Amino acid sequence: MLNRIIQFSVRNKLAIGLFILVWVGYGIYQLTKLPIDAVPDITNNQVQVITTAPSLGAEDVERLITFPVELAVSNVPEIKESRSMSRFGLSLITIVFEDGTDIYWARQQVTERLAQIEINENASAPTLAPVTTGLGEIYQYVLKPQKGYEQTYSLADLRTIQDWTVRRQLLGTPGVADVATFGGELKQYEVAVNPSKLKALNISISDIFTALENNNQNTGGAYIEKGPAVLYIRSVGLTKSIADINKIVVKDNGGVPILIHHVAEVRLGSAIRYGALTMAGQGESAVVLS
């Protein structure tokens, strides 16, 4: 058989040459379509369940959150292993499925089991982490102002631009599962209560919380028919600035409203920072992994 192939190749040099050229061209074409990754993602099929409970210690998180969730998902088909981590205010459960299992089918199965769990009232509802892993990072960039504008944008401004402008656009890019931000300052509105004023006006901290929660939302009502037109009733109460928060009524004291600014100072602040991120010795920046 081998001798016949050799004899045919010698007698039909032109056909063999054309065949080789076609084969080389096809190989070059397939090479351009080959997905090449410098750091291939070798992580197995896994689904992560994240639950936050800011007021619970590690032991309570394990007993009231982690264990019930692990028990609920233990009978999901094609599970290979399950591991968990319980820390102060955080429960993280990693469920590993068999190779070849469709990851979206696995997430659906886990979601159905989570709907049957009664979580402690001091904890948030369990959520699934994005379809990404630590080895799935495809791009990193730094958000910083141009030279000469360093004093114009603060770290809080850079973080706000990243979270509300750049990140939302990147999440719409095909193939991007999540965008993780590091660095900067997470902008917050802080209400610094004056204890002496609360005591003088007979107001508790819970009254402040209730007033802020009840007076920071929009509500819809019915509608009024006016000829061929319809007028919709809508109550706008969503706070948009420090001035709006200052005007929230906490309590009615004999017909005189007590507002937030009577017992507290409203100001801009940032979330508690556990680290900082710098680049090239030029100070702090906001770095993003996607």
Side-chain angles (χ1 to χ4, degrees):
M1 183 65 180
L2 183 60
N3 293 333
R4 294 182 180 179
I5 295 176
I6 296 175
Q7 292 177 2
F8 177 83
S9 302
V10 173
R11 296 172 182 174
N12 302 274
K13 298 179 181 178
L14 180 60
I16 296 300
L18 294 176
F19 176 77
I20 293 176
L21 292 177
V22 171
W23 190 256
V24 171
Y26 179 76
I28 295 175
Y29 171 76
Q30 291 296 332
L31 183 62
T32 60
K33 301 296 182 180
L34 181 65
I36 299 176
D37 194 348
V39 184
D41 190 356
I42 58 175
T43 309
N44 45 25
N45 289 335
Q46 60 179 235
V47 177
Q48 290 187 326
V49 182
I50 303 174
T51 310
T52 58
S55 61
L56 297 180
E59 182 178 352
D60 293 330
V61 169
E62 175 69 24
R63 179 170 54 89
L64 300 176
I65 300 176
T66 303
F67 180 74
V69 172
E70 286 185 318
L71 185 62
V73 301
S74 60
N75 61 343
V76 175
E78 301 185 18
I79 285 185
K80 187 175 181 179
E81 64 176 358
S82 176
R83 57 181 182 270
S84 63
M85 179 185 68
S86 299
R87 309 178 75 175
F88 176 79
L90 175 66
S91 171
L92 176 61
I93 302 173
T94 302
I95 307 168
V96 180
F97 287 83
E98 296 288 347
D99 295 338
T101 304
D102 182 70
I103 187 62
Y104 295 100
W105 176 87
R107 293 172 66 88
Q108 178 63 31
Q109 295 296 317
V110 174
T111 303
E112 293 177 358
R113 301 305 194 282
L114 293 179
Q116 306 172 4
I117 305 175
E118 294 184 3
I119 297 298
N120 185 279
E121 59 182 5
N122 295 321
S124 64
T127 58
L128 302 186
V131 190
T132 181
T133 63
L135 297 176
E137 299 172 2
I138 59 175
Y139 188 68
Q140 299 182 6
Y141 66 90
V142 176
L143 192 66
K144 61 181 180 180
Q146 293 183 350
K147 292 185 178 180
Y149 295 89
E150 290 83 0
Q151 304 302 323
T152 304
Y153 298 96
S154 63
L155 292 175
D157 295 332
L158 294 177
R159 180 63 180 263
T160 301
I161 294 173
Q162 160 59 28
D163 290 340
W164 296 98
T165 304
V166 181
R167 183 175 185 271
R168 295 175 65 179
Q169 296 179 6
L170 287 178
L171 286 175
T173 304
V176 176
D178 189 29
V179 178
T181 305
F182 297 90
E185 295 180 353
L186 183 60
K187 181 180 176 181
Q188 289 183 343
Y189 288 91
E190 297 179 352
V191 180
V193 179
N194 190 322
S196 60
K197 292 183 179 180
L198 290 182
K199 184 177 181 181
L201 296 173
N202 193 23
I203 298 175
S204 63
I205 291 292
S206 61
D207 295 333
I208 302 294
F209 276 102
T210 303
L212 292 173
E213 182 179 3
N214 294 339
N215 292 273
N216 185 27
Q217 56 186 342
N218 294 338
T219 58
Y223 60 88
I224 301 175
E225 295 183 2
K226 190 174 182 180
V230 175
L231 302 178
Y232 290 94
I233 302 174
R234 181 167 173 257
S235 175
V236 180
L238 191 66
T239 56
K240 299 180 179 179
S241 63
I242 293 179
D244 294 339
I245 300 177
N246 280 324
K247 295 177 182 179
I248 292 178
V249 179
V250 180
K251 186 178 181 181
D252 185 2
N253 189 7
V256 179
I258 300 176
L259 308 181
I260 288 292
H261 72 86
H262 291 153
V263 295
E265 178 189 356
V266 183
R267 60 198 179 193
L268 290 177
S270 60
I272 298 176
R273 304 183 66 189
Y274 296 96
L277 194 146
T278 62
M279 177 183 176
Q282 300 178 359
E284 294 187 49
S285 303
V287 173
V288 181
L289 309 176
S290 59

